Amino acid sequence: MKVNIRTFSVDMKVKNNGIKFEVRDNDDTFRGNCYLTRTGITWCEGRTTRANGNAISWNDFINRMNE
């Protein structure tokens, strides 16, 4: 997978808008965007808008990763 930061603020703290990662296959096929915010993570498959993405809280993410 290729993961690129599409927007990145100079301030290292994650703000309300968060950080956007663009995810592509090794053959450069666009897979989607991942947003990291103070409240959690949102995955937007394909050209899905952020409002229609799948969001989970940090606690839910941590619990899923620890399973």
Side-chain angles (χ1 to χ4, degrees):
M1 292 288 183
K2 295 179 181 177
V3 180
N4 297 316
I5 299 173
R6 298 297 296 172
T7 57
F8 189 72
S9 176
V10 175
D11 186 4
M12 296 306 290
K13 291 183 182 179
V14 175
K15 301 289 185 175
N16 290 342
N17 289 335
I19 299 170
K20 178 181 178 181
F21 293 92
E22 181 179 278
V23 180
R24 293 181 175 270
D25 281 340
N26 289 331
D27 63 356
D28 215 32
T29 303
F30 180 72
R31 296 293 306 268
N33 292 312
C34 182
Y35 296 89
L36 279 68
T37 64
R38 292 188 306 170
T39 58
I41 300 173
T42 303
W43 170 248
C44 301
E45 187 170 358
R47 299 290 176 191
T48 304
T49 62
R50 186 173 179 177
N52 293 327
N54 296 317
I56 60 172
S57 70
W58 283 112
N59 286 331
D60 287 343
F61 174 76
I62 291 166
N63 290 335
R64 289 182 188 188
M65 292 296 107
N66 288 330
E67 288 179 349

